[in-house]
Amino acid sequence: FSYKEMVRELPEHYHRGWRHIESVDPALKSALGLTIWAEDPQDGKWYCIIADYIKGISTPTLLVEEVRKRTASFNIVRRIADPHEVWYINTAAQYRLSYIGVYHKSNRKGELIKGLQEKLGKHIFLTPNCEHLIRELQECRWSDRADGRIINSSSWHLLDSSQYFCDNIPKTQVDIAQNFTAGNFHQWIYSENEKRKKKEQDQRQKLDRQMEKRQGRLILRRKSALWT
């Protein structure tokens, strides 16, 4: 781990209107690892601006609410979670929060780790306040007994969260950004994200209506059966 190459101060022109990605490695018995990443629209580089643990919450709904509270002020365009923690993804769905998983996570552990290694210091950077994540990167070691495995990997939730992020980085919008002034581009990002959320909301409402109709038909069939 090279602190000099991989850790940078957040650019002075940073804006909360930049595209942000939330990545979580959920856990109830230990701690949830939360990282938030911001894309600089001028060069497409990503910065980890928050890397922290959420501890002491063992109720799924309260954990989702806490994550939502911590990310509410950012322009979150994508949410990523460990696909094995279905309880978290399903609980978040109750709050109309949509998370994507990691493709074939169990069979790609070594590939995910190497993906983080290749991008760190080139395409993605850590800000100095991400002390917990920096420490994990400095202390983690490859296992001598199993290929593609990290020693005590179950303890490195921020490290896992960062791997999930690297595996799901969206296409850059630098070319689009060059056609805007800084202020207008931030407004454009916000507007596009609001459109995306509106589309998702419309889709969810459509599914809710379909579910209500199916439930209504089921109730009618049951009532009809009682009178036959």
Side-chain angles (χ1 to χ4, degrees), residues 48-212:
C48 185
I49 61 173
I50 291 178
D52 204 0
Y53 280 103
I54 298 178
K55 301 179 180 180
I57 301 178
S58 57
T59 304
T61 52
L62 296 180
L63 192 58
V64 170
E65 288 176 359
E66 179 63 23
V67 172
R68 184 173 64 166
K69 181 175 69 175
R70 296 194 186 197
T71 61
S73 63
F74 302 102
N75 178 30
I76 303 293
V77 300
R78 177 170 294 182
R79 291 180 172 86
I80 309 166
D82 182 348
H84 288 174
E85 306 301 334
V86 179
W87 60 268
Y88 183 86
I89 295 174
N90 289 342
T91 302
Q94 298 174 17
Y95 290 84
R96 297 296 188 253
L97 298 174
S98 178
Y99 282 82
I100 63 173
V102 182
Y103 178 72
H104 284 186
K105 172 204 160 186
S106 297
N107 300 326
R108 299 174 56 235
K109 289 186 179 296
E111 181 182 340
L112 292 173
I113 295 169
K114 290 177 181 178
L116 173 60
Q117 289 178 322
E118 291 172 356
K119 292 182 176 66
L120 196 54
K122 298 176 182 177
H123 186 51
I124 70 171
F125 300 89
L126 312 179
T127 52
N129 64 292
C130 298
E131 296 175 356
H132 298 302
L133 177 55
I134 292 171
R135 186 176 65 251
E136 290 186 11
L137 286 163
Q138 291 173 330
E139 296 179 357
C140 69
R141 297 290 183 271
W142 289 105
S143 172
D144 295 328
R145 298 181 178 180
D147 292 337
R149 300 282 181 172
I150 294 290
I151 300 174
N152 297 325
S153 59
S154 60
S155 302
W156 312 117
H157 296 295
L158 294 177
L159 184 60
D160 286 343
S161 171
S162 301
Q163 294 170 38
Y164 305 158
F165 160 73
C166 285
D167 201 52
N168 288 280
I169 298 176
K171 183 179 179 181
T172 184
Q173 293 184 325
V174 171
D175 292 340
I176 298 175
Q178 292 175 349
N179 296 323
F180 292 84
T181 64
N184 287 340
F185 182 65
H186 296 147
Q187 183 59 40
W188 178 83
I189 292 177
Y190 179 81
S191 176
E192 290 298 305
N193 193 42
E194 288 300 303
K195 291 178 183 178
R196 177 187 59 80
K197 290 193 291 185
K198 179 64 166 58
K199 183 178 179 180
E200 290 179 351
Q201 182 181 21
D202 291 343
Q203 291 174 338
R204 287 194 293 266
Q205 289 176 345
K206 181 179 179 180
L207 291 174
D208 289 343
R209 288 194 296 269
Q210 291 174 344
M211 181 62 70
E212 289 174 358

